[in-house]
Amino acid sequence: MRAKSQRKAGKAMWKIVPGVSAGPFEFGHEPAEYFDILTGAFRKFRHLPDSEEIYAFGKDCVHLMVDDDNRIIQISLFRPHELYLGDLQLLDRPLQELAIALNSTHYVFEPYEVGLESGELGMVLVEVDDRIDGVEVRVLPH
């Protein structure tokens, strides 16, 4: 059963469950299962001709990457959503402030070319202009 999203001031407040879900989106499901909550139009694209397909819901600030069976393997969420890992809100925070907050938890994040990464959690925090603009959450290997 899908997790319920909460609404607050026009933006969704979602939680990450590493290896399981980000907000209402669960790994292993098809993007069409979420068309009821993704209200905007989408486009499909690939970064490279042989890479995985991405459903980009621009108005909703959501990207869903799928495998060859059209099952979600990566969830990317962007500002202005509120996205939580435990009690920490991740999006639209200064990179250094968030790095300090994450270091005071049991989560391990390391500097990465686009921001911060946790291989253990399958997450990348993407920084734009010193603020976390997006979070990519990948399915974890079994």
Side-chain angles (χ1 to χ4, degrees):
M1 181 153 86
R2 290 195 308 223
K4 301 283 185 197
S5 67
Q6 299 174 342
R7 291 271 181 206
K8 177 183 176 185
K11 52 186 170 182
M13 294 178 10
W14 291 333
K15 290 207 175 266
I16 294 172
V17 179
V20 176
S21 63
F25 311 104
E26 294 181 8
F27 297 113
H29 289 256
E30 293 187 19
E33 295 179 52
Y34 301 102
F35 286 176
D36 60 330
I37 59 174
L38 294 167
T39 57
F42 68 91
R43 66 183 179 92
K44 294 194 275 185
F45 70 94
R46 297 174 188 269
H47 288 296
L48 300 169
D50 61 345
S51 66
E52 289 84 2
E53 191 166 49
I54 297 172
Y55 287 70
F57 298 84
K59 178 181 172 190
D60 296 299
C61 303
V62 172
H63 288 180
L64 302 174
M65 181 184 288
V66 297
D67 62 14
D68 292 337
D69 295 322
N70 204 41
R71 301 290 179 179
I72 298 170
I73 58 170
Q74 180 175 300
I75 303 160
S76 299
L77 304 171
F78 306 92
R79 295 187 277 189
H81 295 294
E82 291 183 16
L83 184 62
Y84 289 84
L85 178 61
D87 294 331
L88 288 176
Q89 203 291 111
L90 303 176
L91 289 170
D92 203 23
R93 292 192 58 186
L95 176 68
Q96 292 305 319
E97 173 188 297
L98 186 56
I100 291 167
L102 287 166
N103 283 338
S104 69
T105 69
H106 64 277
Y107 305 119
V108 177
F109 281 83
E110 298 179 320
Y112 185 64
E113 58 197 42
V114 296
L116 297 170
E117 178 181 43
S118 171
E120 164 190 27
L121 299 177
M123 292 178 57
V124 174
L125 308 179
V126 180
E127 175 262 333
V128 174
D129 297 329
D130 194 42
R131 297 191 79 76
I132 301 301
D133 182 60
V135 177
E136 297 175 355
V137 185
R138 297 181 300 273
V139 66
L140 296 171
H142 292 20

